[in-house]
Amino acid sequence: MGRDFGAAAVHTDPDQLFGIPLLASSVPAVPVADADPLADAILETLVHRIGKDRRAARPHDWLAATILTVRNDIIEKWMASTREAHTMGAKRVYYLSLEFLIGRLLRDALANLGQTGEIGRALASLGVDLAEIEEIEADAALGNGGLGRLAACFMESMASLDLPAYGYGIRYVNGMFRQRIDDGFQVELPENWLQHGNPWEFERRESAYFVGFGGEVVGSESGHIHWKVGEAVEAIAVDTPMVGWRGKRVNTLRLWTARAIDPLQLDRFNAGDFAGALAGQLRAETLTRVLYPNDSTAAGQELRLRQEYFFSSASIQDIVRRHVQYFGDIRTLPDKAAIQLNDTHPAVSVAELMRVLLDFHDLGFDEAWEITKKTFGYTNHTLLPEALESWPLPLFERLLPRHMQLVYAINARLLREARAAGSDDAAIKAISLIDEGGERRVRMANLAFAGSHSINGVAALHTQLMKQTVFADLHKLYPDRINNKTNGITPRRWLQQCNPGLTGLIRETIGDAFCDDTTKLDALAAHADDSAFQQKFAAVKRANKVALAQYLKGTMGVRLDPDAMFDVQIKRIHEYKRQLLNLIETVALYDQIRSHPERDWVPRVKLFAGKAASSYHNAKLIIKLANDVARRINADPAIGGLLKVAFVPNYNVSLAEKIIPAADLSEQISTAGMEASGTGNMKFAMNGALTIGTLDGANVEIRDHVGAENIVIFGMTADEVAAKRAGGYNPREAIEASPELAQALANIASGVFSPDDPDRYKGLMAGLYDGDWFMLAADFDSYAAAQREVDRRWSSRPEWNAATIRNVARVGWFSSDRTIGEYAREIWGIM
Ligand code: 26V
């Protein structure tokens, strides 16, 4: 578990005690800490907890000492929050998620506690720069993308709204892979966020549960059903405090780590089989070793199902244990616990709770099923068929034989209800928990739906499509269950912390009411046309761009002109998100600039960042294309700096916090109907970028809020996409109708950007002619025209500034506080 910060861990390694201090030059010769009790506290922690002399301390030692000092204050609040929930007998929320993309925590915690200033001053008196040590904190990347980041925003908002809530997930030793770009290609490297230890976490050895796998189900003499497991591991709780805004409340993020029950098999060890003696431990630890780096296709691997059951079982056992301990009667569970399933990854929890209620609490099936449905809510985050989880039935049965029985029993009941309600054979097939077409599979989305009283989508359009497509028949059967909760983002991290310049300007202009209620940002609209305010607003943006340019100069050696438009697309690389559409338009623009250098082109910097799933061939090829396009365009003197392209490696939360405040244009260009919500779209708008986007996901609602005149919308609607697909879409026709597109595709296909391997993109381009599932060709002309409209607006800067100010003013509704308020009132029944 890395360094042990919990115990009085003292390093006695002489090298460490007397090593060369990295911050030596900034350590004042005369101690000045005496006057500041906080500085004393940090120093005291450094010496007694980290075991470092002040002169020998390295940045990571200062970071750990600072976190441990701040943590003391957090612990007090944490205990008070827990005590309060207990004495009030409050209903608790449990957010079950296989991903929590929380990023760095120190800046967040300090800002929410209102201690940034005092800690900064205390550290300065010790010769340490707070910003510098904040920067070296590891970015906790326990998630893939939007779904994981949403869980992190929700944890912060639940604490900010003073809701007693627990997040449950897995403490992966290796989170999202580190991305290196080698010669333009993505290379995946293991991520190692725990290498310097993790001073935020508390291991709770007393909170441990057995989780079983395999074996068989037997009936005992007493008539009880007994699952004789084939193998068991121990789940150990590791808790991280989640601090709410203004330090109101501190909640718990409880992540499970797997341990072997018998970590060292002494008999084997004594027999000389040293590796064999540790094999059980290795096998157990493998369970919580790595995050599945895949958000496109079901991993289809046994380990993934094991991870899902492991964390579901431990969480359900913990929730039931807490309930019984506090309230005595398991029958009151739905009154005191709301469990939210973040997508289907924890859906096996439905069967697990049933098992606990039936096999350990002796409830009848009907009663157990009512309790289960009242307790669970399920959030769907994608309609992509390849991302809808299902497990081969033989695998499910082998790993979870008791749950398999329960799935059958639940299914029998579900299909009985469906038949009674008049569902026809086709509907029955669609509703069934078992997919019978081809190899039999257990459908996790149907299980989650059946076992929940609420099923929500994450944006209005997405929810509507859920009703019309994947859940059409289940929706007909249970028309009251599907509801919408449009996503949101925490304004603490995504405005106040990442953009102090803009936050300061807003505060001096409209006061700080927006810090507690982002809808108060609307007061800014009154200043949108005020040219003095516009100038200050533009100056903040420019300063952010200068800072980003400097950072990228230092990290990747690219020179960016802060006066050019920063046009940004950062998110997971996926064909439906259409980074390729952006790149093809970039190539077309490049062509145009070369052919018409005399025209009044708007200087642009095109920034891309994002990771591709390791197995996703086309996504990785798109990364290579971005780098190839960048290499060629950036080296072309004929372009005269009018166009610059950069692919920034290793996209993560911390990088997003740097890029978003510096963006002028936000690219949200998915094929309509495919992006469930998007949350980057909200972050950019809140930081004063203009959106170019399709009517997809939350873009639709962003347009409604900021006003159609303050966003650039292009392309087909979701209905038009569906109609075109149904009517036999012919991409070749679309390409031939657009000379600009045809030329760009020909350039890419012929190796203009890949002279070292001219055929590199032949297949990718042929795919557009042959199928173009994501309809790039159909939307290309509309997109290119929208880009020229963006140019026009940029050229009239007062108009641009007014529009981006109105975006900031009107996007306050997209705070995750609003989203969580809706979950609390309408799903969880706790506000
Ligand atoms: C599926 C799988 C399949 C097995 C391997 C690992 C894995 C990981 C993730 C997923 C599903 C990802 C779904 C997802 O991230 N959806 C995104 O959710 C965001 C928050 O609601 C939303 O803003 C994005 O539009 C949506 O794509």
Side-chain angles (χ1 to χ4, degrees):
M1 181 143 309
R3 272 156 70 163
D4 185 358
F5 295 102
V10 177
H11 289 263
T12 48
D13 176 353
D15 267 359
Q16 295 216 353
L17 283 171
F18 305 110
I20 310 294
L22 285 183
L23 293 183
S25 59
S26 53
V27 176
V30 188
V32 288
D34 309 332
D36 184 345
L38 250 182
D40 285 349
I42 294 171
L43 211 46
E44 143 83 21
T45 307
L46 182 75
V47 174
H48 291 108
R49 303 283 297 283
I50 312 295
K52 279 293 182 76
D53 174 72
R54 178 178 171 187
R55 284 166 311 160
R58 292 158 195 223
H60 275 288
D61 301 316
W62 285 112
L63 174 65
T66 305
I67 291 173
L68 291 176
T69 307
V70 174
R71 206 179 77 165
N72 286 337
D73 200 26
I74 295 174
I75 293 171
E76 306 286 323
K77 293 194 159 70
W78 201 5
M79 289 174 169
S81 300
T82 312
R83 255 197 314 273
E84 187 209 67
H86 183 43
T87 49
M88 307 270 291
K91 183 169 185 175
R92 292 168 172 81
V93 175
Y94 297 103
Y95 199 79
L96 268 57
S97 178
L98 219 39
E99 306 190 9
F100 288 93
L101 242 184
I102 52 183
R104 293 175 178 151
L105 291 183
L106 178 57
R107 184 180 300 151
D108 201 49
L110 286 176
N112 278 4
L113 292 167
Q115 292 182 2
T116 310
E118 37 180 333
I119 292 285
R121 283 188 294 278
L123 283 169
S125 77
L126 297 165
V128 178
D129 181 7
L130 171 60
E132 252 173 56
I133 62 165
E134 281 175 346
E135 235 352 82
I136 59 168
E137 185 180 357
D139 184 307
L142 310 183
N144 277 288
L147 166 150
R149 183 53 232 179
L150 187 77
C153 284
F154 279 9
M155 287 306 296
E156 201 266 359
S157 275
M158 289 190 287
S160 296
L161 295 185
D162 205 11
L163 304 179
Y166 293 74
Y168 277 106
I170 288 183
R171 180 184 177 278
Y172 303 104
V173 172
N174 302 111
M176 185 60 186
F177 67 80
R178 212 151 45 81
Q179 178 194 57
R180 206 174 62 201
I181 302 297
D182 272 1
D183 187 29
F185 289 103
Q186 166 175 298
V187 177
E188 302 100 36
L189 301 167
E191 182 279 345
N192 192 11
W193 67 299
L194 295 169
Q195 64 179 331
H196 295 284
N198 179 4
W200 289 112
E201 66 182 22
F202 292 82
E203 190 178 288
R204 310 289 192 196
R205 283 165 219 246
E206 73 283 6
S207 291
Y209 299 93
F210 291 118
V211 177
F213 297 97
E216 55 178 341
V217 180
V218 292
S220 73
E221 296 102 63
S222 60
H224 266 81
I225 285 179
H226 177 62
W227 175 20
K228 258 176 77 180
V229 303
E231 152 186 33
V233 297
E234 212 179 355
I236 294 170
V238 181
D239 290 348
T240 300
M242 296 278 120
V243 183
W245 174 232
R246 296 203 191 277
K248 222 183 260 172
R249 174 179 202 92
V250 179
N251 280 331
T252 303
L253 174 60
R254 173 158 283 191
L255 302 178
W256 299 104
T257 190
R259 285 274 176 81
I261 290 164
D262 191 8
L264 177 69
Q265 287 173 274
L266 213 51
D267 47 342
R268 291 177 81 168
F269 188 87
N270 289 338
D273 178 9
F274 305 130
L278 291 166
Q281 177 66 0
L282 187 68
R283 185 169 161 77
E285 283 177 358
T286 303
L287 251 179
T288 51
R289 180 85 212 193
V290 4
L291 165 78
Y292 266 90
N294 194 337
D295 64 0
S296 64
T297 54
Q301 277 163 31
E302 184 172 331
L303 184 56
R304 171 80 182 181
L305 179 55
R306 282 178 180 264
Q307 285 187 333
E308 293 184 355
Y309 179 64
F310 168 78
F311 110 98
S312 295
S313 174
S315 306
I316 294 296
Q317 290 185 60
D318 201 35
I319 292 165
V320 168
R321 190 261 316 146
R322 186 175 297 111
H323 179 79
V324 171
Q325 184 182 326
Y326 287 174
F327 303 107
D329 183 1
I330 190 65
R331 291 177 173 81
T332 60
L333 184 69
D335 304 329
K336 297 297 178 186
I339 307 179
Q340 194 66 30
L341 303 173
N342 198 26
D343 219 291
T344 56
H345 315 155
V348 69
S349 298
V350 168
E352 177 68 357
L353 180 59
M354 284 296 284
R355 184 179 77 91
V356 170
L357 297 178
L358 295 175
D359 299 356
F360 295 96
H361 291 270
D362 299 322
L363 298 189
F365 191 92
D366 291 351
E367 194 180 11
W369 188 234
E370 287 312 310
I371 290 173
T372 297
K373 280 189 295 186
K374 282 190 196 147
T375 304
F376 283 109
Y378 154 51
T379 307
N380 173 280
H381 294 268
T382 181
L383 298 173
L384 296 188
E386 67 270 27
L388 287 179
E389 282 187 303
S390 69
W391 297 106
L393 201 139
L395 168 65
F396 197 94
E397 186 161 39
R398 173 165 60 78
L399 231 46
L400 304 168
R402 177 61 180 138
H403 299 79
M404 190 71 246
Q405 292 180 338
L406 291 168
V407 166
Y408 283 135
I410 294 167
N411 201 33
R413 196 194 158 93
L414 174 70
L415 299 185
R416 211 168 42 238
E417 285 184 10
R419 275 195 205 93
S423 299
D424 60 17
D425 284 355
I428 293 284
K429 255 193 187 154
I431 287 168
S432 175
L433 302 187
I434 313 293
D435 181 356
E436 311 266 1
E439 173 205 36
R440 297 176 80 209
R441 302 178 76 95
V442 182
R443 291 175 171 146
M444 302 311 274
N446 292 30
L447 176 62
F449 193 117
S452 300
H453 66 284
S454 160
I455 294 91
N456 75 282
V458 292
L461 172 65
H462 168 237
T463 300
Q464 184 197 323
L465 293 172
M466 275 167 67
K467 293 181 183 174
Q468 293 168 0
T469 61
V470 266
F471 296 124
D473 293 293
L474 276 162
H475 174 57
K476 228 179 265 161
L477 186 57
Y478 303 113
D480 300 332
R481 289 195 195 176
I482 296 189
N483 63 92
N484 178 245
K485 299 285 168 282
T486 299
N487 282 167
I489 56 173
T490 167
R492 270 73 64 183
R493 183 175 294 250
W494 297 110
L495 175 59
Q496 296 186 41
Q497 289 152 38
C498 72
N499 201 341
L502 181 57
T503 304
L505 176 61
I506 297 172
R507 191 177 278 130
E508 75 178 46
T509 311
I510 61 167
D512 59 10
F514 74 96
C515 293
D516 296 285
D517 173 2
T518 43
T519 62
K520 296 272 160 57
L521 284 168
D522 66 5
L524 269 187
H527 303 267
D529 294 314
D530 168 357
S531 77
F533 180 72
Q534 284 187 3
Q535 269 162 34
K536 289 189 214 165
F537 187 85
V540 166
K541 180 62 79 181
R542 191 174 191 286
N544 291 340
K545 291 165 74 176
V546 168
L548 178 65
Q550 222 161 19
Y551 176 78
L552 295 179
K553 172 86 183 45
T555 51
M556 55 184 297
V558 59
R559 267 177 208 284
L560 305 179
D561 171 9
D563 291 315
M565 181 200 301
F566 280 19
D567 167 346
V568 184
Q569 189 171 20
I570 50 175
K571 49 182 81 235
R572 283 300 289 259
I573 310 293
H574 202 297
E575 286 166 288
Y576 84 78
K577 295 176 186 282
R578 300 201 293 192
Q579 283 93 354
L580 185 55
L581 175 61
N582 189 348
L583 285 167
I584 293 169
E585 204 281 325
T586 304
V587 166
L589 176 62
Y590 171 57
D591 225 28
Q592 294 256 322
I593 298 176
R594 280 172 58 100
S595 326
H596 306 284
E598 74 291 349
R599 284 192 197 155
D600 199 11
W601 297 105
V602 167
R604 282 208 197 210
V605 169
K606 289 229 158 227
L607 289 178
F608 294 86
K611 292 173 181 174
S614 51
S615 57
Y616 191 166
H617 178 263
N618 275 1
K620 293 175 113 174
L621 199 53
I622 289 166
I623 291 177
K624 175 62 175 162
L625 178 61
N627 283 288
D628 276 347
V629 167
R631 187 177 47 186
R632 163 89 200 225
I633 293 180
N634 297 351
D636 187 342
I639 286 307
L642 282 174
L643 189 56
K644 259 269 152 74
V645 182
F647 186 93
V648 187
N650 202 33
Y651 182 56
N652 60 16
V653 172
S654 302
L655 189 58
E657 290 171 26
K658 291 189 176 70
I659 295 178
I660 291 169
D664 294 306
L665 186 66
S666 156
E667 299 264 358
Q668 308 300 336
I669 61 176
S670 51
T671 316
M674 303 197 82
E675 187 72 272
S677 163
T679 46
N681 45 7
M682 304 164 190
K683 293 164 195 163
F684 281 102
M686 201 175 276
N687 283 277
L690 197 74
T691 304
I692 182 168
T694 47
L695 285 177
D696 198 14
N699 295 355
V700 179
E701 290 153 88
I702 291 176
R703 180 198 59 172
D704 293 344
H705 278 84
V706 306
E709 66 288 0
N710 298 309
I711 185 168
V712 179
I713 296 293
F714 73 93
M716 292 182 290
T717 62
D719 285 344
E720 287 164 354
V721 168
K724 209 175 191 76
R725 275 194 189 138
Y729 167 51
N730 183 344
R732 189 171 296 271
E733 252 168 39
I735 295 166
E736 279 159 11
S738 170
E740 215 189 328
L741 171 61
Q743 185 59 52
L745 299 186
N747 288 346
I748 297 170
S750 68
V752 169
F753 299 92
S754 52
D756 52 322
D757 178 6
D759 290 344
R760 183 175 292 137
Y761 303 111
K762 274 226 156 64
L764 194 63
M765 296 299 108
L768 296 179
Y769 279 92
D770 294 342
D772 189 22
W773 179 249
F774 303 97
M775 301 210 159
L776 275 68
D779 273 345
F780 180 84
D781 282 351
S782 168
Y783 179 56
Q787 289 289 17
R788 300 296 72 79
E789 167 65 16
V790 167
D791 286 346
R792 261 193 302 284
R793 293 193 191 192
W794 178 260
S795 303
S796 147
R797 210 56 66 83
E799 183 196 341
W800 180 279
N801 289 335
T804 52
I805 292 166
R806 290 199 172 92
N807 269 267
V808 179
R810 294 172 181 168
V811 83
W813 186 79
F814 295 90
S815 162
S816 44
D817 293 350
R818 187 268 314 154
T819 312
I820 286 298
E822 292 177 5
Y823 274 84
R825 283 188 300 274
E826 297 164 24
I827 301 178
W828 304 330
I830 54 162
M831 249 175 105

